[in-house]
Amino acid sequence: MESIGETLRRVREERGITLERLAAETRVRVEFLAALEEDRHEVFPARTYVVGFLRSLARALGIDEDELLRRYREDRGEEKDAPVSLWENESEEPGEERNARWIWIAAAAFIALLAAAWLWFER
């Protein structure tokens, strides 16, 4: 079975796309694209970059994104049914907790405004 990098290179070459053109389309530096095609994931500062770049490349090349990430997960020895997330060691994305906090703040502010309006008109 060919590696993820080999698959990326093969599909890119079959479509006649240069690394430079792919870099312009995905906004991923040519050096990083070459590293992915050579399966050199250690050059990336974190897994987040690899997963994000693989997603971008899959979309740009018309590859099944889920299948590509499943293969990446298997290559890393991760659990078969574990979700592939951009966020390492977290069950949910950081923004979700922050969004929930803002909803509670907005609700409290709305209630405070209602209470102030009620007190104002009760005078």
Side-chain angles (χ1 to χ4, degrees), residues 6-29:
E6 292 168 341
T7 299
L8 293 172
R9 176 175 283 137
R10 179 182 50 77
V11 171
R12 179 181 60 77
E13 289 175 349
E14 284 175 357
R15 289 182 169 76
I17 301 172
T18 65
L19 279 177
E20 291 75 17
R21 181 174 150 208
L22 191 57
E25 185 177 329
T26 60
R27 297 187 178 164
V28 177
R29 291 183 11 204

Side-chain angles (χ1 to χ4, degrees), residues 62-77:
I63 298 173
D64 182 358
E65 182 179 332
D66 293 329
E67 175 64 20
L68 189 69
L69 294 175
R70 183 195 60 74
R71 285 179 52 200
Y72 172 71
R73 184 178 54 236
E74 283 180 2
D75 289 351
R76 287 179 46 98

Side-chain angles (χ1 to χ4, degrees), residues 42-113:
E42 70 278 357
V43 303
F44 298 95
R47 176 180 182 264
T48 303
Y49 291 91
V50 177
V51 172
F53 291 164
L54 287 175
R55 286 182 190 277
S56 295
L57 291 175
R59 289 183 198 125
L61 295 172
I63 298 173
D64 182 358
E65 182 179 332
D66 293 329
E67 175 64 20
L68 189 69
L69 294 175
R70 183 195 60 74
R71 285 179 52 200
Y72 172 71
R73 184 178 54 236
E74 283 180 2
D75 289 351
R76 287 179 46 98
E78 296 176 6
E79 291 182 29
K80 182 179 179 184
D81 296 328
V84 176
S85 172
L86 289 177
W87 313 105
E88 296 183 47
N89 302 323
E90 293 186 27
S91 59
E92 63 182 58
E93 297 177 4
E96 291 179 11
E97 182 180 291
R98 202 172 322 139
N99 289 341
R101 184 174 31 231
W102 279 110
I103 290 170
W104 281 108
I105 290 170
F110 180 73
I111 291 171
L113 283 174

